[in-house]
């Protein structure tokens, strides 16, 4: 049984992995949310990891800019940061839509 929840981004069709994101601060009303992530984090991509994932689990936490992943974690990048559909929407297509 795999913990990986593989699916496709509805916006751009790329393969993504769904991870359960823990809120940065736990307080009443804060909720875990599933979010799409890049299947593999590529450190050469020039973007710092947005999250850290517990190795062997599908739970991610927001990685503050001042922190590095723990030895039990691996870096992860939320798909929204690199989704070509999103990037397009913020520029050219947003202008067309407007
Ligand atoms: Zn996408």
């Amino acid at each position: 049984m795999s913990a990986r929840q593989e699916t496709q981004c509805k916006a751009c069709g790329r393969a993504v992995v769904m991870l359960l994101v823990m809120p940065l601060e736990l307080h009443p009303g804060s909720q875990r949310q599933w979010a799409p992530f890049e299947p593999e984090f590529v450190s050469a991509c020039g973007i710092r990891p947005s999250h850290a994932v517990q190795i062997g689990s599908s739970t991610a936490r927001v990685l503050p800019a001042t922190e590095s992943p723990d030895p039990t974690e691996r870096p992860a990048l939320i798909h929204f940061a690199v989704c070509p559909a999103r990037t397009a929407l913020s520029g050219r297509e947003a202008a067309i839509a407007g």
Side-chain angles (χ1 to χ4, degrees), residues 9 12 79 83:
C9 173
C12 70
H79 176 68
C83 179

Side-chain angles (χ1 to χ4, degrees), residues 23-85:
L24 201 54
E25 293 176 28
L26 284 170
H27 56 80
S30 64
Q31 293 189 341
R32 303 172 179 188
Q33 285 190 326
W34 289 95
F37 283 81
E38 293 297 287
E40 303 293 339
F41 177 74
V42 182
S43 58
C45 72
I47 305 174
R48 66 172 294 276
S50 58
H51 291 69
V53 186
Q54 280 292 322
I55 292 168
S57 88
S58 55
T59 306
R61 69 177 175 93
V62 175
L63 188 66
T66 52
E67 281 187 35
S68 297
D70 293 335
T72 58
E73 295 174 325
R74 59 179 174 82
L77 184 63
I78 196 158
H79 176 68
F80 295 147
V82 293
C83 179

